[in-house]
Amino acid sequence: MKDLKVAFYVTGGIAVYKSISLMREFIKMGADVQVAMTPSATEFVSPLTFQVLSKHAVHIDTFSEEDPHYVQHIHLADWADVSIVAPATANTIAKLANGMADNFVTSALLATVSPIFLVPAMNEHMLEHPATQKNIETLRNRHHYVMEPETGFLAEGYSGKGRFPETEAIIEALEGFLMEFRENLPLKGKKVVVTAGGTKERIDPVRFISNDSSGKMGHALAEAAWSAGAEVTLITVSDLPSRKQINRIQIDSAAQMYEAVNQAFQEIDVLIMAAAVSDYAPLKVEEHKMKKQNQLTIELKKNPDILKEMGKKKTKQFLIGFAAETENIETYALKKLTEKNADLIVANDVGKKDRGFNSNHNEVTIYSDINQPVTIKLSKKAEIAQSIIEILIERLE
Ligand code: PMT
């Protein structure tokens, strides 16, 4: 559970009070938990309880879009590594089984692609009703994990099946589910190195030459490769965050990036060079801050072409390079494909303001050594990264 991003959905049954201890346990184990409640759930326990414990505002109303940068229910769905519905009522189970999206919880869950884990809790007769059983079966066929409720004393005052299980039993089932989920992911067992950001080439202790790369594209690729089950090393210049499960190597210069890539290369299956590597570095790095002069000439030396060098060395490794161009995109991209011995070149137009360097969006055409080019229209870098990883998965198959 450590560092896991958990979307915790609470729906309206008497077991809501038990989901508080479950959520606290997740937090104690190091998970980052965001809660969403159905309006009925708020009748049982105040959202404030969940807010105070999770240290996040609780999502209830689909239309109270307070932050104009995001559509909240989609943002929560995309953010989560796992979604837990606890307790899951017969009503919410029925809505999910039938693809309904009539409140914040059901809308977010319909937009969720990461694993969904449900903890049903309800009256025994509601649970055994053929409609509920059929809905549970539908969700299980969709690879959601639906826990078996426990048998015991129910809120109605008699004994039966439908109780919310003990916290330890839920955590054990969840850990097993998450393990199995990652085992079956398409890049399971693959080692992927991604580079990100614009390298910094030192002039003196306080100055460097660099470019506008933010690292967003590379970080999105590292995240997408991790979500597809790969063991990911991210060699980055950027100070953007990355999840703890990604092995992060922080570097500055092209020489350091070369060193880190080269050291990992023999052991890896895939290299993705999204970094904007400076082609040149100052020949000499001044020991002290340079003093003002009327004119200054800095002599530059050529940096190693990391992708090209790895292209020469490659045996089993699959190489994905980028081509940052402002004109003749196809010609230059195809030239890079052959000259650098890459398997894919992802070409982007870096002459436009709404994409490429330092934007949240990009539009790319992927050139391959064997297939026709594929264009991914202007979209978020996370979506572009997902599409690139899907093409990678197809190629590795
Ligand atoms: O970081 P962002 O703000 O999100 O922006 C993303 C991006 C625009 C930086 C990214 O999409 C991108 O295009 N990255 C590659 C930038 C680049 O250096 O392109 P290039 O055409 O100059 O280089 C071709 C390929 O060779 C690239 O894969 C590059 O990483 C690699 N290269 C280049 C020079 C060098 N010395 N060594 C290299 O390995």
Side-chain angles (χ1 to χ4, degrees):
M1 298 295 294
K2 178 109 179 68
D3 298 315
L4 201 71
K5 290 183 265 178
V6 177
F8 194 88
Y9 297 99
V10 186
T11 70
I14 184 63
V16 169
Y17 76 95
K18 292 187 176 175
S19 67
I20 298 169
S21 348
L22 179 63
M23 185 202 61
R24 287 198 67 191
E25 202 52 39
F26 290 159
I27 291 169
K28 268 202 235 157
M29 291 167 88
D32 186 5
V33 182
Q34 284 201 54
V35 179
M37 299 174 81
T38 59
S40 340
T42 64
E43 299 285 333
F44 290 91
V45 170
S46 158
L48 192 60
T49 310
F50 287 101
Q51 178 177 310
V52 169
L53 294 171
S54 71
K55 300 193 171 51
H56 286 290
V58 173
H59 306 279
I60 300 162
D61 180 2
T62 323
F63 299 102
S64 74
E65 295 289 358
E66 273 153 26
D67 184 346
H69 293 100
Y70 302 111
V71 175
Q72 286 305 323
H73 63 281
I74 304 293
H75 190 54
L76 183 62
D78 289 346
W79 171 85
D81 295 324
V82 61
S83 298
I84 294 162
V85 192
T89 58
N91 184 38
T92 295
I93 288 173
K95 287 179 185 175
L96 290 187
N98 290 287
M100 285 176 68
D102 66 341
N103 59 36
F104 189 99
V105 168
T106 50
S107 304
L109 285 166
L110 197 63
T112 297
V113 289
S114 52
I116 297 179
F117 183 94
L118 296 103
V119 188
M122 62 193 77
N123 169 270
E124 182 176 38
H125 305 305
M126 290 171 90
L127 176 69
E128 307 236 291
H129 193 287
T132 308
Q133 287 302 312
K134 188 162 183 296
N135 291 332
I136 289 177
E137 194 189 326
T138 303
L139 295 182
R140 285 187 175 143
N141 288 340
R142 230 176 260 161
H143 305 297
H144 297 345
Y145 189 99
V146 186
M147 250 189 116
E148 276 305 321
E150 278 181 1
T151 302
F153 191 71
L154 299 173
E156 292 78 357
Y158 54 82
S159 189
K161 191 173 176 185
R163 271 168 64 89
F164 193 80
E166 295 304 321
T167 298
E168 298 73 44
I170 297 174
I171 288 174
E172 198 183 318
L174 177 65
E175 285 182 337
F177 169 61
L178 289 178
M179 202 109 76
E180 195 185 327
F181 185 83
R182 276 198 75 74
E183 283 300 316
N184 293 326
L185 288 173
L187 290 185
K188 175 77 194 159
K190 299 286 179 207
K191 291 188 175 151
V192 175
V193 165
V194 182
T195 65
T199 62
K200 295 176 182 171
E201 312 300 331
R202 282 267 149 223
I203 299 171
D204 70 12
V206 295
R207 303 181 179 94
F208 56 79
I209 301 171
S210 192
N211 56 63
D212 284 326
S213 169
S214 60
K216 287 176 186 170
M217 193 66 246
H219 280 238
L221 277 157
E223 178 69 19
W226 183 84
S227 298
E231 193 183 309
V232 180
T233 298
L234 174 63
I235 301 170
T236 185
V237 188
S238 168
D239 52 12
L240 287 172
S242 57
R243 68 170 60 244
K244 294 277 177 357
Q245 295 91 337
I246 289 176
N247 171 34
R248 179 177 183 138
I249 302 177
Q250 197 72 35
I251 48 95
D252 278 332
S253 67
Q256 289 169 343
M257 187 174 278
Y258 174 80
E259 201 48 47
V261 170
N262 196 35
Q263 205 170 1
F265 195 69
Q266 227 42 13
E267 300 294 314
I268 64 172
D269 302 285
V270 181
L271 171 64
I272 308 179
M273 287 292 305
V277 187
S278 301
D279 289 317
Y280 299 93
L283 189 61
K284 183 168 172 256
V285 182
E286 297 297 331
E287 196 183 335
H288 298 288
K289 184 181 168 202
M290 289 168 78
K291 290 292 163 204
K292 275 195 198 81
Q293 301 165 39
N294 280 343
Q295 255 193 332
L296 175 66
T297 305
I298 299 173
E299 256 194 285
L300 301 176
K301 63 174 180 197
K302 207 151 191 266
N303 270 332
D305 187 323
I306 305 170
L307 183 58
K308 196 169 177 179
E309 290 306 315
M310 299 308 128
K312 285 184 203 156
K313 283 174 65 164
K314 84 171 178 190
T315 49
K316 57 169 185 173
Q317 295 85 354
F318 192 90
L319 298 195
I320 305 181
F322 272 69
E325 311 294 348
T326 53
E327 55 173 351
N328 302 328
I329 295 178
E330 175 158 348
T331 314
Y332 291 137
L334 288 172
K335 198 160 171 252
K336 282 175 183 165
L337 188 67
T338 44
E339 279 183 1
K340 301 195 186 214
N341 195 19
D343 299 280
L344 298 178
I345 285 285
V346 182
N348 46 188
D349 186 341
V350 289
K352 293 183 178 157
K353 282 245 165 332
D354 63 346
R355 64 195 70 178
F357 281 109
N358 202 16
S359 163
N360 290 330
H361 297 85
N362 212 353
E363 177 166 313
V364 301
T365 301
I366 302 172
Y367 295 92
S368 135
D369 50 345
I370 54 169
N371 295 323
Q372 287 300 311
V374 177
T375 296
I376 306 161
K377 288 279 172 210
L378 192 66
S379 14
K380 283 188 193 151
K381 281 184 176 161
E383 288 159 15
I384 301 269
Q386 178 94 31
S387 305
I388 295 171
I389 296 299
E390 275 163 22
I391 292 175
L392 168 70
I393 292 164
E394 272 171 33
R395 283 295 298 271
L396 294 184
E397 277 166 6

